[in-house]
Amino acid sequence: MAVDHLILTTCFASLFASLLLYLLRRRSKEIVSRNNEPLTVKPGNNDVDIIIVGAGVAGAALAHTLGKEGRRVHVIERDLTEPDRIVGELLQPGGYLKLIELGLEDCVKEIDAQRVLGYALFKDGKHTKLSYPLDQFDSDVAGRSFHNGRFVQRMREKASTLPNVKMEQGTVTSLVEENGVIKGVQYKTKEGQELKSYAPLTIVCDGCFSNLRRSLCKPKVEVPSNFVGLVLENCELPFPNHGHVVLGDPSPILFYPISSSEVRCLVDVPGSKLPSLASGDMAKHLKTTVAPQVPIEIREAFLSAVEKGNIRTMPNRSMPADPIPTPGALLLGDAFNMRHPLTGGGMTVALSDIVILRDLLNPLVDLTDKESLSKYIESFYTLRKPVASTINTLAGALYKVFLASPDDARSEMRRACFDYLSLGGVCSSGPVALLSGLNPRPMSLVLHFFAVAIFGVGRLLVPLPSVKRLWLGARLISSASGIIFPIIKAEGVRQMFFPRTIPAIYRAPPAHSSPQ
């Protein structure tokens, strides 16, 4: 009897010791980082913590950022070879500051990236130089322009150096959903094998052609114009280290350096229909309509690029962010939100979004806590609004103002904008701070936009007002309102100007997720 009792006691003691050892080991893994130190997360039942669909600028930067935080990340990208695009080549200073914040500033090194210090604006034979307001920043802070593919590959390489980031080439065909919760993705590998990957959080950033966005947002995609892209070789821009914007007829023409020997030219063609490349109509259009409007210093290089025939096109899409909050998934980058690329704000928005998302997710040890994770996802969609909406609204409004128009009021608004920016002082530094992402404040945008309109009206009334000029001034104000208010409405007035009134915002970690 005593022996049986001893054996039973020994068994219970052994079982208790094993359970205690298991709990101690499990607890040791639940260490939350402080001061941005890497954290160790709960392993859970999934192979990874986060799936990222797409490894462009947004996906690659996000993979490195979350991997550095200690998350186990699985990136699935359709094509891991170097991209060859004609957009995503100019990073504004505000975006470069975000790149520094994410520890990715070295990704613009060793790719022959060029410093960009501002813009030069050309109209009707006149020009004005607009410099970024960089006085309060370190000397390294400026815009950067480069080959998009080189930049993306540098970020992919940096993300791949982290042991907890797996980058795989494959095509995601669908999201895996169970009871309204996204559990992961189904994808086809490079070899054609159909597989599934599971994670508590799936982040879709597969670009402007996303085939997954429909279940996560209400896409309202517009294509106001197309870009026709050329590369000018071995030519010097009139203003070195500046982007050049020609207010042409019918729409803007852009020039900016993408290497020490190459200048990107983007000719905007309004509408969805383009002259035919195959028939030679496009080359004829560029030679006869566009070339005479190009600054004389680079006109010969422009014509030489047209003769070489390496002409490419890209539709300019715009799509306001209108998410459908879905447990287990969120959208990021061009898959979620697009604006006209005239102002080069896309990468700044994406990198700003990544900083917000990183800081939101940092306190969450266990991403399988669906309730907390869903609240943070909703918070992300709200907290991003002021910055993103300012850049989006500016891009849409500026494009419409810069378009040539037979309407007198629109033409007067265009002239007023050029002359207002030419005044210098706060009239140029304020709008350029908005454009550069250094001061993305919605109210500042609205004030400057209507300051341009009022400036235009004031010029009409000097020296002597007339009924005709008063009527034109009224139409100018009406035209300005008709440009900016529909864009603001699409972005969301409350989210853009009064985000603190949105109850979804989470500003502190849930009590049960706080470090002990």
Side-chain angles (χ1 to χ4, degrees):
M1 188 75 173
V3 173
D4 291 342
H5 181 73
L6 180 62
I7 293 172
L8 190 62
T9 302
T10 303
C11 288
F12 273 113
S14 176
L15 182 63
F16 178 76
S18 298
L19 179 62
L20 183 62
L21 182 62
Y22 168 76
L23 291 173
L24 285 171
R25 284 176 176 171
R26 183 178 178 87
R27 179 61 182 165
S28 70
K29 293 182 178 180
E30 298 175 17
I31 303 171
V32 182
S33 69
R34 292 180 184 269
N35 300 323
N36 291 326
E37 294 178 1
L39 61 109
T40 304
V41 297
K42 293 182 181 180
N45 297 320
N46 301 285
D47 294 333
V48 294
D49 302 304
I50 297 169
I51 295 168
I52 297 175
V53 182
V57 171
L62 182 64
H64 178 266
T65 300
L66 296 179
K68 199 169 63 171
E69 292 281 299
R71 307 290 186 185
R72 297 168 302 171
V73 181
H74 183 192
V75 184
I76 305 171
E77 162 59 37
R78 183 180 58 82
D79 184 0
L80 285 173
T81 60
E82 184 175 307
D84 183 15
R85 306 182 67 206
I86 65 170
V87 291
E89 298 174 318
L90 196 153
L91 180 65
Q92 297 287 2
Y96 183 70
L97 288 173
K98 296 300 178 183
L99 206 65
I100 294 172
E101 198 170 341
L102 295 171
L104 289 166
E105 68 273 19
D106 58 334
C107 291
V108 297
K109 297 177 181 177
E110 299 178 10
I111 61 171
D112 201 13
Q114 303 298 299
R115 285 168 56 84
V116 179
L117 303 175
Y119 282 88
L121 209 57
F122 294 77
K123 183 181 182 297
D124 298 334
K126 298 185 293 183
H127 65 262
T128 185
K129 190 171 78 167
L130 310 172
S131 298
Y132 293 137
L134 300 173
D135 296 343
Q136 60 182 347
F137 299 99
D138 292 339
S139 60
D140 181 55
V141 176
R144 293 293 191 281
S145 53
F146 39 67
H147 282 272
N148 172 269
R150 297 176 188 174
F151 180 53
V152 169
Q153 287 301 88
R154 287 278 287 158
M155 289 200 292
R156 288 175 178 175
E157 290 164 6
K158 186 158 185 176
S160 297
T161 62
L162 299 175
N164 49 327
V165 174
K166 175 186 177 184
M167 196 157 303
E168 181 179 5
Q169 184 163 309
T171 303
V172 175
T173 54
S174 63
L175 300 173
V176 178
E177 182 181 346
E178 293 179 14
N179 301 320
V181 178
I182 303 300
K183 297 289 188 178
V185 299
Q186 180 169 323
Y187 69 102
K188 185 179 289 186
T189 66
K190 186 179 180 182
E191 293 75 26
Q193 186 180 5
E194 292 276 359
L195 296 176
K196 290 183 179 179
S197 182
Y198 295 93
L201 178 60
T202 299
I203 302 175
V204 176
C205 40
D206 55 345
C208 60
F209 300 104
S210 174
N211 63 337
L212 303 175
R213 67 161 68 104
R214 291 195 173 276
S215 58
L216 302 175
C217 75
K218 303 169 187 173
K220 301 181 184 70
V221 181
E222 295 182 359
V223 184
S225 66
N226 288 266
F227 267 156
V228 178
L230 299 162
V231 174
L232 282 56
E233 297 178 341
N234 301 312
C235 72
E236 290 188 12
L237 289 166
F239 297 91
N241 300 108
H242 282 69
H244 291 55
V245 182
V246 179
L247 300 190
D249 185 2
S251 53
I253 308 162
L254 311 182
F255 298 91
Y256 52 88
I258 53 174
S259 75
S260 54
S261 61
E262 297 167 299
V263 170
R264 169 68 71 194
C265 169
L266 294 172
V267 179
D268 185 84
V269 179
S272 57
K273 190 175 181 180
L274 284 167
S276 171
L277 280 167
S279 68
D281 289 346
M282 177 64 79
K284 182 180 178 182
H285 170 75
L286 294 174
K287 290 177 182 178
T288 59
T289 303
V290 178
Q293 303 180 68
V294 172
I296 189 67
E297 296 92 333
I298 55 175
R299 191 174 299 166
E300 186 176 338
F302 176 83
L303 289 169
S304 177
V306 175
E307 284 294 336
K308 286 185 177 179
N310 188 19
I311 303 170
R312 302 176 58 192
T313 63
M314 175 78 181
N316 293 325
R317 291 175 166 81
S318 63
M319 183 183 77
D322 191 5
I324 303 172
T326 306
L330 65 80
L331 281 165
L332 198 73
D334 283 352
F336 176 43
N337 183 204
M338 294 179 281
R339 76 291 309 147
H340 196 285
L342 172 70
T343 56
M347 289 188 288
T348 300
V349 171
L351 294 171
S352 174
D353 284 354
I354 291 169
V355 170
I356 292 170
L357 186 61
R358 177 200 64 184
D359 294 344
L360 275 174
L361 293 180
N362 183 270
L364 284 175
V365 181
D366 186 6
L367 293 180
T368 61
D369 183 349
K370 296 182 183 64
E371 184 178 345
S372 294
L373 182 59
S374 294
K375 290 177 181 177
Y376 274 91
I377 290 173
E378 288 183 27
S379 298
F380 165 75
Y381 286 139
T382 301
L383 290 171
R384 69 177 296 276
K385 264 294 180 179
V387 171
S389 294
T390 301
I391 294 173
N392 295 344
T393 304
L394 178 64
L398 206 56
Y399 176 69
K400 291 184 177 181
V401 170
F402 281 179
L403 281 173
S405 173
D407 181 78
D408 289 345
R410 293 287 289 271
S411 295
E412 192 60 41
M413 183 72 180
R414 191 186 197 213
R415 283 192 291 271
C417 185
F418 179 86
D419 291 342
Y420 180 86
L421 293 171
S422 301
L423 291 174
V426 70
C427 297
S428 66
S429 64
V432 173
L434 289 163
L435 176 71
S436 63
L438 295 172
N439 179 32
R441 296 180 181 176
M443 192 56 70
S444 179
L445 167 62
V446 173
L447 290 174
H448 277 289
F449 189 81
F450 280 102
V452 170
I454 293 168
F455 172 74
V457 173
R459 294 194 318 170
L460 290 172
L461 303 183
V462 175
L464 292 173
S466 65
V467 174
K468 183 179 179 180
R469 285 172 170 259
L470 284 169
W471 175 241
L472 182 57
R475 286 178 54 222
L476 194 157
I477 295 293
S478 175
S479 177
S481 302
I483 288 172
I484 197 167
F485 286 145
I487 301 173
I488 291 174
K489 182 181 178 182
E491 289 291 332
V493 176
R494 186 181 177 191
Q495 293 92 331
M496 187 171 173
F497 293 95
F498 311 106
R500 291 180 180 275
T501 67
I502 307 294
I505 293 183
Y506 230 130
R507 299 190 182 277
H512 62 273
S513 289
S514 299
Q516 300 297 320

